[in-house]
């Protein structure tokens, strides 16, 4: 009962924050709505007994990636683009089609393609180790190669970002 | 007891909202944030299904998705800053230099 109530509260706030993100005029407000959405999804991770992913979401996604977004939004002036649309019927049509897709997927997942099962509640974990320890054991044994490759990926991303904004020195 | 299809429906709705954001906005930063919303929705589906089959594979994949998303945001924002430096605008309707 409490689990369902918590899920519906977090779900409604997440959907409202997502709609607020795409409907707001100011890019800064959009970023703040997205941060609220990320916090709600982190709460949903906590209800699914995935506490490490919930905390990583708050620290990395909402805490680093969105802050980077806000830095760039502030750097570029947080300008609101003029609402001179080339195709004025595009936004209402997109909204109608999106509502159609959302309703369709909801109906399909409720009636036809029902995934069967319930998510792990936080009080019925059968393992005696913490989620972090079990996740770490799986990560460093079965998924060691993707882990190392991800470190190389992050290095490449750092180098790419630095090279992109470097001023070219003219060599005479 | 929350059945898993509630989580999947929420993931589908969030993904649809992200798609609408990508398709209708002209600000490159809002488009980028909508892509992050779509990645977030996919992460939710991963963790939900991983929790149903009592395996950690879903959460580990979400770990990698978050790491890759961080790298992608770093490079993408560097690109947007560079484009702004040369064009003084982040309106994607004006990025049509390659148009024939």
């Amino acid at each position: 009962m409490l689990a369902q109530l918590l899920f519906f509260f977090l779900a409604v706030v997440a959907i409202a924050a997502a709609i607020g993100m795409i409907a707001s005029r100011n890019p800064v407000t959009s970023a703040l709505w997205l941060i609220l959405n990320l916090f709600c999804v982190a709460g949903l991770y906590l209800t699914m007994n995935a506490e490490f992913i919930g905390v990583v979401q708050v620290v990395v996604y909402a805490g680093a990636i969105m802050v980077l977004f806000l830095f760039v939004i502030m750097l570029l002036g947080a300008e609101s683009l003029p609402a001179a649309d080339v195709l004025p019927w595009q936004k209402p049509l997109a909204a109608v089609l999106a509502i159609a897709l959302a309703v369709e997927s909801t109906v399909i997942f409720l009636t036809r393609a029902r995934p069967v099962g319930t998510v792990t509640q936080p009080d019925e974990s059968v393992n005696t180790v913490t989620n972090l320890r079990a996740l770490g054991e799986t990560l460093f044994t079965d998924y060691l190669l993707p882990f190392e490759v991800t470190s190389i990926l992050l290095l490449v991303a750092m180098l790419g970002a630095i090279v992109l904004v470097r001023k070219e020195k003219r060599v005479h | 007891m929350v059945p898993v299809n509630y989580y999947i429906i929420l993931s589908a709705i969030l993904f649809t909202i992200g798609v609408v954001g990508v398709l209708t906005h002209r600000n490159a930063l809002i488009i980028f944030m909508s892509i992050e919303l779509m990645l977030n929705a996919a992460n939710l589906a991963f963790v939900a299904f991983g929790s149903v089959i009592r395996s950690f594979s879903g959460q580990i994949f979400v770990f990698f998705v978050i790491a890759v998303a961080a790298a992608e945001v770093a490079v993408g924002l560097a690109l947007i800053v560079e484009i702004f430096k040369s064009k003084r605008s982040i309106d994607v309707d004006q990025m049509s230099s390659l148009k024939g």
Side-chain angles (χ1 to χ4, degrees), chain A:
Chain A
M1 178 57 200
L2 183 64
Q4 298 207 337
L5 206 63
L6 190 61
F7 169 78
F8 278 117
F9 172 69
L10 286 171
V12 165
V13 177
I15 293 177
I19 294 178
M21 185 202 95
I22 65 167
S24 80
R25 301 240 169 258
N26 197 357
V28 177
T29 317
S30 287
L32 294 177
W33 279 119
L34 184 59
I35 289 176
L36 177 63
N37 186 50
L38 293 173
F39 270 98
C40 290
V41 175
L44 284 168
Y45 289 151
L46 288 178
T47 66
M48 283 195 274
N49 212 12
E51 48 242 25
F52 177 67
I53 297 297
V55 173
V56 161
Q57 165 111 343
V58 169
V59 169
V60 171
Y61 229 125
I65 295 180
M66 290 316 299
V67 168
L68 194 57
F69 261 112
L70 279 168
F71 269 130
V72 174
I73 289 174
M74 291 301 182
L75 184 70
L76 303 187
E79 53 199 81
S80 306
L81 295 173
D85 280 330
V86 179
L87 305 166
W89 46 264
Q90 190 210 17
K91 280 200 208 290
L93 182 64
V96 164
L97 289 175
I99 291 174
L101 179 63
V103 166
E104 199 177 314
S105 56
T106 305
V107 165
I108 285 180
F109 283 122
L110 275 177
T111 58
R112 289 283 191 162
R114 304 178 61 113
V116 179
T118 60
V119 299
T120 313
Q121 300 299 312
D123 55 347
E124 65 174 51
S125 56
V126 293
N127 47 357
T128 54
V129 300
T130 62
N131 173 265
L132 177 61
R133 183 188 180 98
L135 201 63
E137 281 174 1
T138 318
L139 181 66
F140 290 119
T141 55
D142 292 332
Y143 295 94
L144 183 61
L145 180 62
F147 181 75
E148 302 294 338
V149 171
T150 304
S151 74
I152 297 179
L153 173 77
L154 290 173
L155 176 69
V156 167
M158 264 196 289
L159 283 174
I162 291 173
V163 163
L164 274 171
V165 298
R166 199 174 52 123
K167 286 192 183 3
E168 293 287 330
K169 288 194 173 41
R170 304 285 177 133
V171 178
H172 294 288

Side-chain angles (χ1 to χ4, degrees), chain B residues 5-48:
Chain B
N5 29 347
Y6 290 179
Y7 284 96
I8 303 305
I9 289 168
L10 174 65
S11 165
I13 291 176
L14 288 178
F15 192 86
T16 312
I17 295 174
V19 168
V20 168
V22 168
L23 291 178
T24 54
H25 280 272
R26 286 179 301 133
N27 194 344
L29 287 166
I30 308 280
I31 291 176
F32 214 168
M33 283 197 280
S34 303
I35 294 175
E36 296 302 315
L37 185 61
M38 289 199 276
L39 281 171
N40 202 29
N43 284 351
L44 188 61
F46 265 122
V47 175

